[in-house]
């Protein structure tokens, strides 16, 4: 708990006959308030410019030491730092976080979507996507990949082609770094900042 379900874990759980319920919430919402994309009774969900905004009785009234801009400035609502979408059936899908989005060539790339695409490549055991500085694009999309046992390290071209099958080519990584493991912090969340700092000087 506490972070996105790692790529491939849901499928491995299903293959093992383990039922997984995805919950979404935070301290400001008194814990989980959306289960498998469906809000609890009394919880309201809306999307503003892809940002998730939550309302209802479980929402805190505000912070003891308010921040600016104040995510509680609209009474009864909390503007999260999460990006999401609601499908035609009314289910919420979390796409990523505002502070992790990569701005490349004037376009926005959400690393979690790219990771999900990369994870389906047979040579990828684990992966993380992050932005690094680029003089022309502002940022370029980079990926750190843990190579699957017995597989050869995939090339940038191969992974770009693979990602472009399901996402816009803009989202495809322009550089790929093979690593033994991915840096994590706290309860296992990916440390994208550590990866960005490590590979920011790497050539495109």
């Amino acid at each position: 708990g506490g972070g996105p379900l790692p790529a491939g874990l849901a499928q491995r759980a299903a293959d093992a006959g383990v039922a997984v319920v995805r919950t979404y919430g935070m301290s400001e919402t008194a814990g989980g308030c959306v289960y498998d994309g469906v809000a609890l009774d009394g919880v309201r969900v809306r999307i503003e410019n892809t940002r998730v905004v939550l309302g209802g009785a479980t929402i805190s009234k505000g912070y003891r030491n308010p921040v600016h801009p104040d995510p509680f400035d609209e009474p009864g609502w909390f503007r999260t730092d999460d990006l999401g979408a609601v499908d035609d059936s009314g289910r919420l899908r979390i796409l990523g976080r505002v502070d992790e989005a990569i701005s490349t060539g004037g376009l926005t790339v959400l690393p979690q979507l790219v990771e999900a695409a990369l994870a389906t490549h047979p040579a990828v055991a684990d992966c993380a996507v992050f932005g690094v500085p680029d003089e022309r694009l502002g940022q370029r999309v980079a990926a750190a990949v843990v190579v699957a046992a017995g597989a050869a390290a995939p090339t940038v071209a191969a992974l770009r082609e693979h990602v472009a099958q399901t996402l816009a080519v803009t989202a495809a990584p322009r550089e790929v770094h093979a690593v033994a493991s991915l840096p994590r912090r706290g309860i296992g969340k990916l440390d994208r900042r550590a990866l960005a700092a490590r590979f920011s000087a790497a050539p495109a």
Side-chain angles (χ1 to χ4, degrees):
L5 188 64
L9 182 57
Q11 186 59 53
R12 292 197 297 274
D15 293 344
V18 177
V20 175
V21 176
R22 298 181 188 223
T23 68
Y24 172 67
M26 56 213 74
S27 299
E28 293 87 347
T29 65
C33 62
V34 178
Y35 286 74
D36 276 342
V38 179
L40 294 177
D41 289 345
V43 173
R44 294 168 290 169
V45 178
R46 73 175 196 247
I47 305 296
E48 289 184 359
N49 297 321
T50 69
R51 186 188 292 256
V52 179
V53 184
L54 301 172
T58 68
I59 305 299
S60 302
K61 295 184 181 297
Y63 292 127
R64 181 176 181 181
N65 298 305
V67 297
H68 299 284
D70 186 356
F72 294 99
D73 60 0
E74 182 181 358
W77 292 90
F78 172 63
R79 290 175 57 80
T80 75
D81 286 329
D82 297 312
L83 303 174
V86 175
D87 65 20
D88 293 340
S89 67
R91 289 182 180 271
L92 173 67
R93 180 185 177 203
I94 302 301
L95 303 176
R97 288 185 55 81
V98 172
D99 59 0
E100 292 180 342
I102 302 166
S103 179
T104 181
L107 301 174
T108 299
V109 172
L110 300 179
Q112 292 86 352
L113 298 182
V114 184
E115 288 163 359
L118 287 172
T120 63
H121 191 284
V124 175
D126 202 0
C127 61
V129 173
F130 51 97
V132 294
D134 186 279
E135 290 184 4
R136 182 173 63 89
L137 300 171
Q139 286 182 302
R140 63 182 177 273
V141 180
V145 170
V146 178
V147 180
T155 64
V156 174
L159 291 182
R160 282 181 61 81
E161 181 180 354
H162 185 77
V163 169
Q165 292 176 9
T166 53
L167 299 175
V169 69
T170 306
R174 293 177 176 271
E175 61 182 70
V176 175
H177 306 276
V179 297
S181 62
L182 299 176
R184 299 186 182 274
R185 53 188 173 79
I187 55 175
K189 292 184 179 181
L190 278 173
D191 193 342
R192 299 181 203 279
R193 291 185 180 180
L195 288 167
R198 176 179 174 185
F199 295 114
S200 283

